[in-house]
Amino acid sequence: MYRYSEFDADFLRNRVAQFRTQVARRIDGSLTEEEFKPLRLMNGLYLQLHAYMLRVAIPYGTLNGAQMRQLAMIADRWDRGYGHFTTRQNIQFNWPALRDVPDMLAALADVGMHAIQTSGNCIRNVTADHFAGAAKDEVADPRPVAELIRQWSTDHPEFQFLPRKFKVAVTGHADDRAVTAAHDIGLRLVRRDGALGAAVLVGGGLGRTPMIGKILAEFVPMADLLPYLEAVVAVYNLIGRRDNKYKARIKITVHETGIDAIRAQVNAEFAARKPLFSGVDQALLAEITAHFAPPAFSDQGVGGFAADYAADPVFRAFVDTNTAPHRHPDYTIATISLKAHGATPGDCSSAQMRLIADLAAHYAHDEIRISHEQNVVLPHLPKRHLKAVHQALLGAGLATANIGLLSDIIACPGMDYCALATARSIPVAQEIATHFDALKLEHDIGPLKIKISGCINACGHHHVGHIGILGLDRAGVESYQITLGGDGGPDAVIGERAGPGFAYDQIVPAIERILRAYLGLRMGRAESFLAAYRRVGMEPFKAALYGAGGAEADAA
Amino acid sequence: MSATVTPKVLTANALLEGDVVYLAPDGGWTRQHDRALLITDAATAELHLLDAAARGHEVVGAYLADAKAGPKGPEPIHFREVFRTRGPSNYAHGKQERA
Ligand code: HEM
Ligand code: SF4
């Protein structure tokens, strides 16, 4: 697991002390809000609709038990006894008082955590697969590469004033769990003739103009990766648009310039830069890789796992939906759902955090991950302990067997918290989950990703939901636009708009019509919603949504 | 500027807690929308906005929101402002827990 150095620890303590002074000066009136705002944003403190919000980074979604316990302590002492895990692999506290924030930051620094935000038009936090280092058939752990890129890009003099912010994601597995195709640069680690390298995607992103990244290079050997990325960013720095904020992301540059022309420029730039790299980066990569070394897996077999699996149907359902194959045959990756039917997606109480911390420490090499799908993962759990863990989760309302199913909904905070929202998203998620739970249709419907955003910024990734829901303000009324067929996996696709939006009280019935249509037309249970959509297209669903007359009354 | 505009309330977030507040008729801040000052002419509204900007040690992010007169006092018009009067819908946190 990645360890912060003494330098990092001192740096964090100094930052907290500095921010403590700034908060004091804001409260005593010596700093205006205009002066204070950039300082608080740099320290992860936002002003939302009803209160401040503190956004805490969880690099690569990786936490240990002590860190999780500290998050619980912070939630109890200075917030409302819970935290909200987000699609950006961070945790948000929704109710801090301004005066308390320096103490919260100090408590975070005590466990090597921080709320420092990369902001501005630079290379933002690099993200990686939440099963990194654990998944079966992984090409390589993506986190060392992600961390190498982070260290190289931080304070890189050439890249502090890019046309726009720049996000990088890395996956080390063919099942792309890092949504690499929706990032400015997406890296997919691959091996060619035994040598490690990366396929490079460029120009993906959601938000106002959603686009899927395009393949810029099929294979860049590891030793060439940094000079190659530097070449990409340099080309973007030169030709990316600076005249219009909405056209400044690299996805627009790629779209307007064409992928082949960009590739030619990148290759020329790469040839010029490669000789300037001395190989120091490869030494650094080796050092970082050592920090992310896997735990010492035990060889004590799987105990009574098979017997329990056969005997206990509740346990069996949990194993079938919430676990994934681990690189070690006696281990499993267990996902703890933060999506109990009717709960707020991603919320975790302090008691739940403590239980998860204890389970990780006792049974699972003290490692915890947060997924961008707003769930918690025990990446290294021996199968012989799975039954005990499940038993403990049951008692804490954390054993919902719904990973990858209808109620495993991603929802952004929407207008219940976010100052930028145009409509609510949390209650829509809650009502969809409870409605289908009452109908007992969830397991019959099978794999389904519903994703909800409360405005066009697309924090809920609605474009890549099999069913996407976007909340808008239509003439002073909440209106929900549905997209179908989106996919955030290896063959990523942007969903297609179904037609006019639905009012708040009509959105759950609309989702039910879509899913009843699916149940009627699928070719057996083996055909998932997404597969059926790809086979039959939009028309049958449009008919189910809008009746035979179709979508003539387009209000949008 | 015309005097016949939609009536407004002046709203912001309190500096220390972040709570939603409204300018009250006595010049202080109230957390209750129906106790807010209903401002009916544009020039006065602009003056209050300037004044609020100068009171940055009390509140943050002041703006004017459309409102209408109701039986108990000013009422919000837009749904966003309705949500701001009470707090989030998933928990009884914010103002509604004190109501
Ligand atoms: C509540 C406070 C939040 C605010 C004010 C906020 C604001 C924004 C804005 C303005 C953008 C668009 C940035 C741009 O493209 O220029 C954005 C993007 C994004 N946000 Fe948030 N957000 C918030 C919370 C969240 C939460 C809770 C999540 C996770 C559940 C999240 C996940 C994301 C993601 C993944 C993107 C990138 C979408 C893309 O690929 O373009 N945000 N956010
Ligand atoms: S999508 Fe919009 S409403 Fe949702 S969190 Fe992002 S900015 Fe807020």
Side-chain angles (χ1 to χ4, degrees), chain A residues 35-74:
Chain A
E35 291 163 333
F36 180 65
K37 188 175 178 183
L39 303 173
R40 69 167 162 79
L41 291 178
M42 264 192 298
N43 286 286
L45 184 63
Y46 297 73
L47 185 61
Q48 301 210 88
L49 217 46
H50 313 290
Y52 288 99
M53 176 269 280
L54 184 67
R55 176 180 285 173
V56 178
I58 304 175
Y60 314 115
T62 301
L63 288 172
N64 61 32
Q67 291 172 322
M68 188 67 129
R69 235 171 261 123
Q70 190 79 336
L71 294 176
M73 188 282 281
I74 290 171

Side-chain angles (χ1 to χ4, degrees), chain A residues 310-352:
Chain A
D312 178 348
V314 177
F315 179 59
R316 189 157 62 239
F318 181 83
V319 174
D320 289 346
T321 46
N322 291 38
T323 67
H326 193 276
R327 57 194 275 184
H328 190 292
D330 296 346
Y331 278 67
T332 190
I333 302 173
T335 300
I336 300 170
S337 170
L338 297 182
K339 317 287 179 71
H341 300 100
T344 301
D347 278 6
C348 194
S349 72
S350 55
Q352 291 175 328

Side-chain angles (χ1 to χ4, degrees), chain A residues 66-313:
Chain A
Q67 291 172 322
M68 188 67 129
R69 235 171 261 123
Q70 190 79 336
L71 294 176
M73 188 282 281
I74 290 171
D76 281 340
R77 182 144 175 213
W78 294 293
D79 208 88
R80 300 287 160 100
Y82 77 100
H84 177 74
F85 291 106
T86 80
T87 55
R88 287 175 158 177
Q89 292 177 309
N90 46 41
I91 182 170
Q92 298 187 171
F93 292 107
N94 284 326
W95 302 97
L98 179 57
R99 229 181 258 293
D100 294 336
V101 173
D103 289 337
M104 297 169 84
L105 295 179
L108 289 169
D110 286 346
V111 291
M113 296 183 76
H114 64 83
I116 298 167
Q117 297 293 310
T118 45
S119 62
N121 295 332
C122 60
I123 297 181
R124 298 290 189 87
N125 256 359
V126 184
T127 52
D129 181 353
H130 46 268
F131 289 174
K136 185 169 186 254
D137 300 325
E138 184 174 70
V139 176
D141 188 334
R143 293 172 299 170
V145 176
E147 178 61 16
L148 176 69
I149 296 170
R150 187 188 71 75
Q151 293 189 12
W152 156 78
S153 65
T154 306
D155 301 328
H156 192 305
E158 193 180 345
F159 302 143
Q160 299 309 306
F161 299 98
L162 298 173
R164 199 77 173 82
K165 65 181 174 185
F166 202 88
K167 293 189 196 166
V168 181
V170 192
T171 182
H173 199 281
D175 297 345
D176 182 356
R177 279 174 292 259
V179 208
T180 56
H183 288 75
D184 297 285
I185 288 185
L187 299 178
R188 295 173 172 174
L189 302 185
V190 282
R191 265 182 212 287
R192 196 176 264 187
D193 304 327
L196 189 61
V200 180
L201 283 80
V202 69
L206 303 178
R208 187 174 296 269
T209 319
M211 294 208 188
I212 296 299
K214 298 183 178 65
I215 301 271
L216 187 63
E218 296 278 358
F219 186 82
V220 176
M222 212 31 85
D224 291 347
L225 192 61
L226 283 192
Y228 190 84
L229 293 180
E230 205 175 271
V232 177
V233 183
V235 167
Y236 167 58
N237 206 8
L238 198 65
I239 67 174
R241 290 179 60 168
R242 292 171 192 266
D243 59 323
N244 180 339
K245 178 177 156 190
Y246 296 118
K247 300 199 167 169
R249 293 291 284 266
I250 196 175
K251 61 190 175 186
I252 307 290
T253 317
V254 171
H255 185 71
E256 290 183 346
T257 312
I259 187 75
D260 293 328
I262 298 260
R263 186 180 297 117
Q265 293 188 41
V266 167
N267 287 344
E269 193 65 43
F270 171 73
R273 282 171 187 262
K274 169 69 184 165
L276 306 176
F277 274 73
S278 60
V280 176
D281 56 313
Q282 293 307 297
L284 183 57
L285 179 61
E287 193 184 308
I288 296 171
T289 304
H291 286 309
F292 285 103
F297 297 124
S298 72
D299 286 308
Q300 295 183 44
V302 300
F305 173 75
D308 289 330
Y309 182 83
D312 178 348

